[in-house]
Amino acid sequence: MRNLILVLVIIGAVNWGLIGFFGYDLVGSIFGGQLALISRIIFAIVGLAGIYAISFFFRPNNRTVES
């Protein structure tokens, strides 16, 4: 689940980077424009993934440190 959330957040970040640097909306272009229903659903899912990813900051780190 965590990897899926991270992939969705990365997709959102790349899309925002493309919009910021080049004015190009990749998700909108692939799925028929920003106002197309499927594009809006994808934007909503990516947004929910971003909100869920906030919880990663509050989870304990499971890494072990070897001495």
Side-chain angles (χ1 to χ4, degrees):
M1 177 73 158
R2 184 178 178 138
N3 289 339
L4 175 63
I5 297 300
L6 289 174
V7 167
L8 290 172
V9 170
I10 291 168
I11 288 170
V14 169
N15 196 53
W16 275 110
L18 288 171
I19 291 170
F21 288 116
F22 306 110
Y24 181 71
D25 179 5
L26 180 63
V27 173
S29 295
I30 291 172
F31 296 104
Q34 290 180 344
L35 298 179
L37 180 61
I38 188 72
S39 293
R40 293 182 62 201
I41 290 170
I42 291 171
F43 289 137
I45 290 170
V46 170
L48 290 173
I51 292 169
Y52 183 80
I54 293 170
S55 70
F56 295 168
F57 287 114
F58 303 104
R59 293 183 183 181
N61 191 352
N62 293 334
R63 294 184 194 171
T64 58
V65 178
E66 296 182 24
S67 331

